[in-house]
Amino acid sequence: MKKCFGRILAKPQNLLDLRSRLPQPVALQMNILFLNGPNLNLLGQREPEIYGSTTLSDIETQVRKRAKVLKTDVTFRQSNQEGELVSWIQEAKGNFDVIVLNAAAYTHTSIALRDAIVAAGVPTIEIHLSNIHAREEFRHRSVIASVCRGQIAGFGANSYILGLEAAYNVKV
């Protein structure tokens, strides 16, 4: 050991030992809200050539497994009603850190969802199972994209895992 101004300095190799004895930072605990719009309750049955054969329940199970690894809580909700989705977005403020939103058909039409995202101020990730930009012309425009943190589209059920990863990284 060396003495420097009356203090004992540890040898460099001992610094690693000291660091391992320090309290470790507490894992970040996040609450992420997954909102699913109209017809997503029919996943696995509806147009499997576009949306695949995986059900929304299967997707939720996959996301929960990954969320556990990330030490993150996830809540899943689905509604065919625009107003219910708006209410859930508004209620997210103060209760959730990030929203992952598959607005489905409302992506292209709902100014109400767009305004709710702005009003709530909760970072929102837009996701889609299919690549909306490679489909029918009317699906190319998202009215919510400009108020979302980002958009993930075209990766099938993996869009949800990618959405979780994106949401996790919003706060990290």
Side-chain angles (χ1 to χ4, degrees):
M1 298 285 193
K2 294 181 180 178
K3 252 189 161 182
C4 179
F5 300 104
R7 294 187 186 144
I8 297 176
L9 299 177
K11 291 181 182 176
Q13 64 266 22
N14 291 338
L15 289 176
L16 293 176
D17 293 335
L18 291 173
R19 284 188 200 138
S20 66
R21 292 182 196 151
L22 293 173
Q24 298 301 308
V26 176
L28 180 65
Q29 183 67 36
M30 293 183 67
N31 291 314
I32 299 172
L33 176 61
F34 279 79
L35 293 180
N36 296 281
N39 298 312
L40 291 170
N41 57 309
L42 299 176
L43 282 179
Q45 306 166 38
R46 178 180 172 243
E47 299 179 89
E49 66 282 359
I50 294 173
Y51 302 110
S53 58
T54 306
T55 67
L56 189 57
S57 179
D58 295 337
I59 291 170
E60 182 177 346
T61 299
Q62 292 171 10
V63 169
R64 286 190 185 286
K65 283 181 188 174
R66 180 64 185 145
K68 187 174 182 180
V69 172
L70 297 173
K71 295 179 173 55
T72 300
D73 289 330
V74 293
T75 299
F76 268 77
R77 296 180 184 159
Q78 188 279 327
S79 180
N80 293 321
Q81 306 299 317
E82 183 179 29
E84 191 164 30
L85 291 166
V86 168
S87 293
W88 288 337
I89 292 168
Q90 292 172 353
E91 293 164 4
K93 186 173 187 167
N95 295 308
F96 294 95
D97 299 299
V98 183
I99 299 169
V100 178
L101 173 62
N102 184 344
Y106 291 140
T107 298
H108 320 290
T109 61
S110 182
I111 303 303
L113 286 179
R114 183 194 186 286
D115 290 349
I117 292 166
V118 171
V122 178
T124 302
I125 311 293
E126 178 184 352
I127 64 168
H128 299 283
L129 294 162
S130 65
N131 181 351
I132 63 172
H133 305 288
R135 296 192 55 199
E136 303 92 341
E137 184 70 31
F138 68 88
R139 295 187 196 273
H140 293 186
R141 183 165 188 275
S142 166
V143 298
I144 63 173
S146 64
V147 297
C148 289
R149 190 61 69 94
Q151 182 186 75
I152 298 167
F155 296 97
N158 285 327
S159 291
Y160 281 79
I161 299 296
L162 294 169
L164 172 66
E165 297 285 346
Y168 179 79
N169 285 294
V170 163
K171 290 288 186 173
V172 172

